[in-house]
Amino acid sequence: MEERKVLVAGGNLLQAHTWKGMLETCGITVELRGEALMGGVGELPVDMQTVELWVAESQLEQAQTQLALLDAEQPQWQCLQCHECNEASFELCWNCGAERSESHH
C-alpha cells in the first residue's frame, strides 16, 4: 500500500468534510482521521482535538494545488446588512444571519 501523507490538520470538522468532498470530486482519495475525537472537545487535550485529511503520497501535490484553487476561487464576502466579513463557505452572515450578498470583500 502506498504511503499516505497529512494534507491538512485542524479543528474544523465542517471545513474538513467540505475539502474532502471537493478533493474526491477531483479523483483524489482522501482519508479523514480524528473525527470521532471531536466529541471530546473541552475534555480532551487540545492536541488530540485535530481532524486530519490524509492523501496518498502520489496525490499530495495535486491535492495541495486543488486546495489552493479553492481558496483563490472563493473570496470572502461582506454582509450588506451589518458589513461584517464572512468566509466564502458561509451562505448566511455569521454575525446577523442575513443571506449572502453579491458584494465581495
Side-chain angles (χ1 to χ4, degrees):
M1 184 170 170
E2 184 176 5
E3 187 174 341
R4 300 180 77 71
K5 298 285 186 181
V6 176
L7 174 64
V8 177
N12 187 332
L13 187 59
L14 180 61
Q15 187 67 62
H17 274 284
T18 301
W19 286 339
K20 181 179 186 287
M22 186 272 306
L23 291 169
E24 288 175 341
T25 300
C26 297
I28 299 170
T29 303
V30 181
E31 180 183 348
L32 182 63
R33 296 183 187 174
E35 182 175 14
L37 296 176
M38 292 307 289
V41 170
E43 297 176 21
L44 292 172
V46 174
D47 61 343
M48 292 193 65
Q49 300 172 15
T50 300
V51 180
E52 299 174 337
L53 294 180
W54 288 69
V55 297
E57 191 171 12
S58 64
Q59 293 183 313
L60 181 62
E61 189 174 326
Q62 181 188 2
Q64 290 169 334
T65 300
Q66 289 300 323
L67 286 183
L69 288 172
L70 180 66
D71 286 341
E73 292 172 3
Q74 296 187 345
Q76 289 185 337
W77 58 275
Q78 187 173 22
C79 178
L80 292 178
Q81 300 296 317
C82 70
H83 306 292
E84 189 64 41
C85 286
N86 293 275
E87 293 300 319
S89 60
F90 294 179
E91 292 300 319
L92 299 175
C93 176
W94 72 267
N95 188 46
C96 72
E99 287 191 30
R100 183 175 183 157
S101 64
E102 293 303 313
S103 176
H104 292 286
H105 177 70

